[in-house]
């Protein structure tokens, strides 16, 4: 757990720095400077690129996490594993880009009258596919080398600084909207270039694959993992992007823009889980290699408790400050109120399940995660088709809530049935109770004159009211240990 704790803490710090930058750009500047249609365009460009880039990996990232322990050998340049991933990625990029271009007539016909701006920038997705793919490959390579923080820094911090710079140039009329889109695309290109530069600088850019090292048994295992990795990763990205894509298809770019801003606030609670998942997946893979189930169960249980605490704190903080949030983003986005609620509740179920997906992915039942994600994706498509026409963007969020609860119930059932793993205890009930009480008492605070002052006071109250009982009731060993370290360091400075 030492590696996970160390990198999770530093990764979470960078992630929340990225959240702050994301709030300034996506939560504050975008709604004030851009139209809802322009916001929708920027999100749609990224959504399509992520979707096609994930397919372009052809499952090699799953192979990396699961099988890299068998290639790990610094003296032999890890048998050129990086070169193998890049070779697979090149094939995948050609395939996915070809499919995207072939689908252009379908995209154009669906955009008629609702999303014409997307047609104008259709080909901007192609470089985004390439460099998003390269980021996935390089970031996973760093992860299996126990360095998950590099990708977080470049993606969450550097990329968002570049986006902030671009939107400020647009705001001060130094550039027009077309150049804003170009700079926005370049910002998303940058993390892959920075990761590649770091590999070259550290003399770790080993791109000559050692194909002779891969025997028939290993090749067969890699093909199996890759096949189910394609299904799992593509389904996983589909479920992250299908809602905004379908909102765009049914309601147009303007509604997609409103949904994008509301979705941002609803997904803030997931930030720590991304960091923990990245590094814990590698540790879990090594533990499965030696069948160390005690370590795996320990990671599963502790991740569920820690992530639930952080997630509930963020959720009640956002929901308790909802009026202040809409003071910031503007009344044009009020239609997204219940999007924030339903997406937040959906993501809480993810946090309750801790790193369950990584436990399944790295076990001998890894195929099941692919099946479950595929079921999840189908559920999302069906529920979105049923609910968006009836409830608009709120229907898309409700579809995510229903589908995600079913998906997480299936994950829990699989782990319990196969390994008797389950992360829950009375401590989860304490978390829910403390969160509800902290939120409820915050509603009794009178609304202050200025929304910024109200936001600060309300947020501090919610944090203290929630974290105090969490600490004194010792809900999380890891969080208490970290809090005590901070308290000791502060006392020593005095």
């Amino acid at each position: 757990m030492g590696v996970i704790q160390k990198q999770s803490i530093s990764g979470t710090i960078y992630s929340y720095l990225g959240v702050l930058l994301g709030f300034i750009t996506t939560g504050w500047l975008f709604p004030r400077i851009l139209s809802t249609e322009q916001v929708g365009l920027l999100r749609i460009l990224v959504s399509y690129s992520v979707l096609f880039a994930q397919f372009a990996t052809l499952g090699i990232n799953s192979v990396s996490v699961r099988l890299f322990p068998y290639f790990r050998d610094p003296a032999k340049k890890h048998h050129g594993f990086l070169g193998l991933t890049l070779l697979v990625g090149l094939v995948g990029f050609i395939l996915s880009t070809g499919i995207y271009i072939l689908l252009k007539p379908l995209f154009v016909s669906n955009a008629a009258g609702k999303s014409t701006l997307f047609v104008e920038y259709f080909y901007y997705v192609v470089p985004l596919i390439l460099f998003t793919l390269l980021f996935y490959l390089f970031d996973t390579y760093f992860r299996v080398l126990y360095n998950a923080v590099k990708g977080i820094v470049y993606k969450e911090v550097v990329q968002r600084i570049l986006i902030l710079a671009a939107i400020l140039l647009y705001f001060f009329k130094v550039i027009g909207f077309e150049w804003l889109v170009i700079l926005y695309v370049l910002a998303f290109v940058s993390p892959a270039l920075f990761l590649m530069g770091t590999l070259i600088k550290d003399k770790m850019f080993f791109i000559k694959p050692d194909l002779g090292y891969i025997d028939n048994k290993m090749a067969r295992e890699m093909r199996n993992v890759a096949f189910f990795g394609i299904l799992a990763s593509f389904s996983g990205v589909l479920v992250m992007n299908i809602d905004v894509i379908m909102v765009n298809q049914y309601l147009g770019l303007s509604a997609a823009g409103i949904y994008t801003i509301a979705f941002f606030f609803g997904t803030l609670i997931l930030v720590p889980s991304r960091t923990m998942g990245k590094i814990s997946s590698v540790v879990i893979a090594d533990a499965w290699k030696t069948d160390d189930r005690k370590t795996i169960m320990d990671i599963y249980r502790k991740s569920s408790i820690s992530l639930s605490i952080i997630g509930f704190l963020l959720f009640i903080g956002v929901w308790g400050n909802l009026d202040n949030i809409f003071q910031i983003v503007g009344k044009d986005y009020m239609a997204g109120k219940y999007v924030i609620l339903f997406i937040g509740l959906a993501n809480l179920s993810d946090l309750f399940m801790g790193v369950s997906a990584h436990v399944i992915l790295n076990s001998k039942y890894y195929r099941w995660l692919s099946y479950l994600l595929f079921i999840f994706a189908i559920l999302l498509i069906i529920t979105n088709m049923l609910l968006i026409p009836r409830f608009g963007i709120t229907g898309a969020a409700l579809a995510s809530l229903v589908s995600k609860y079913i998906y997480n119930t299936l994950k829990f059932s699989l782990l319990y049935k196969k390994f008797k793993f389950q992360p829950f205890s009375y401590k989860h009930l304490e978390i829910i109770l403390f969160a509800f009480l902290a939120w409820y008492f915050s509603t009794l605070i009178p609304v202050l004159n200025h929304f910024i002052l109200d936001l600060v006071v309300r947020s501090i109250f919610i944090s203290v009211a929630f974290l105090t009982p969490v600490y004194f009731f010792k809900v999380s060993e890891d969080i208490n240990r970290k809090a005590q370290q901070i308290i000791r360091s502060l006392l020593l400075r005095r």
Side-chain angles (χ1 to χ4, degrees), residues 409-426:
T409 300
L410 293 173
K411 276 196 302 180
F412 171 84
S413 300
L414 175 66
L415 284 171
Y416 186 74
K417 181 178 180 181
K418 298 298 183 182
F419 306 111
K420 301 301 179 187
F421 287 171
Q422 75 88 14
F424 301 125
S425 68
Y426 69 91

Side-chain angles (χ1 to χ4, degrees), residues 418-442:
K418 298 298 183 182
F419 306 111
K420 301 301 179 187
F421 287 171
Q422 75 88 14
F424 301 125
S425 68
Y426 69 91
K427 292 183 177 182
H428 290 83
L429 296 176
E430 290 180 340
I431 294 169
I432 295 172
L433 175 63
F434 298 152
F436 175 77
L437 291 175
W439 168 79
Y440 174 74
F441 286 121
S442 75

Side-chain angles (χ1 to χ4, degrees), residues 13-292:
I13 292 171
Y14 285 118
S15 293
Y16 277 112
L17 178 57
V19 167
L20 176 61
L21 291 167
F23 173 76
I24 294 171
T25 54
T26 305
W28 184 39
L29 293 177
F30 276 17
R32 291 173 178 268
I33 297 173
L34 303 176
S35 68
T36 53
E37 186 180 20
Q38 289 171 329
V39 173
L41 171 70
L42 297 179
R43 173 63 193 273
I44 285 295
L45 291 177
V46 173
S47 292
Y48 276 122
S49 65
V50 167
L51 196 62
F52 282 89
Q54 192 65 66
F55 172 75
T57 64
L58 299 181
I60 192 63
N61 282 347
S62 297
V63 173
S64 299
V65 174
R66 182 173 171 79
L67 299 179
F68 185 79
Y70 298 95
F71 287 81
R72 193 189 305 277
D73 189 342
K76 296 184 179 179
K77 301 178 180 180
H78 305 300
H79 299 282
F81 192 83
L82 177 61
L84 176 64
T85 65
L86 292 174
L87 187 61
V88 173
L90 175 62
V91 175
F93 171 69
I94 294 171
L95 286 173
S96 62
T97 304
I99 294 170
Y100 176 72
I101 293 172
L102 286 173
L103 289 174
K104 183 179 180 181
L106 177 62
F107 291 136
V108 171
S109 63
N110 286 333
K114 300 191 298 287
S115 309
T116 52
L117 195 60
F118 172 65
V119 177
E120 184 180 344
Y121 292 94
F122 178 85
Y123 286 105
Y124 282 56
V125 172
V126 174
L128 279 172
I129 294 173
L130 174 61
F131 286 95
T132 302
L133 166 65
L134 288 174
F135 174 78
Y136 287 156
L137 299 180
F138 291 143
D139 183 47
T140 302
Y141 189 63
F142 271 102
R143 283 168 53 200
V144 297
L145 295 176
Y146 295 108
N147 191 347
V149 178
K150 287 287 185 187
I152 294 170
V153 172
Y154 295 141
K155 187 74 172 174
E156 303 293 337
V157 180
V158 175
Q159 175 182 291
R160 292 185 175 182
I161 290 174
L162 294 175
I163 293 172
L164 176 60
I167 193 67
L168 289 175
L169 288 173
Y170 178 75
F171 174 70
F172 289 110
K173 298 185 176 7
V174 178
I175 59 174
F177 182 70
E178 183 177 356
W179 267 102
L180 171 63
V181 178
I182 292 171
L183 293 179
Y184 187 79
V185 169
L186 290 175
F188 274 85
V189 164
S190 65
L193 295 178
F194 282 120
L195 284 179
M196 184 171 69
T198 302
L199 285 170
I200 294 171
K201 174 179 171 292
D202 294 344
K203 298 180 180 179
M204 295 167 54
F205 196 60
F206 310 132
I207 57 173
K208 183 180 179 181
D210 183 6
L211 299 179
Y213 177 75
I214 304 172
D215 58 22
N216 291 334
K217 181 181 178 182
M218 177 67 75
R220 185 167 55 252
E221 181 70 6
M222 291 175 74
R223 284 195 299 270
N224 288 337
V225 173
F227 173 77
F228 288 98
I230 292 173
L231 186 59
S233 58
F234 184 71
S235 298
V237 169
L238 185 64
V239 301
M240 288 296 294
N241 294 275
I242 192 61
D243 48 2
V244 73
I245 290 173
M246 293 185 72
V247 165
N248 176 54
Q249 295 296 317
Y250 278 102
L251 307 174
L253 275 179
S254 182
I258 297 172
Y259 187 83
T260 295
I261 300 301
F263 187 87
F264 169 78
F265 288 100
T267 54
L268 285 177
I269 66 175
L270 284 180
V271 173
S273 68
R274 293 168 185 162
T275 304
M276 187 177 289
K278 279 187 172 185
I279 186 59
S280 66
S281 183
V282 179
V283 177
I284 290 169
D286 285 341
W288 273 124
K289 184 181 175 182
T290 57
D291 200 29
D292 185 359

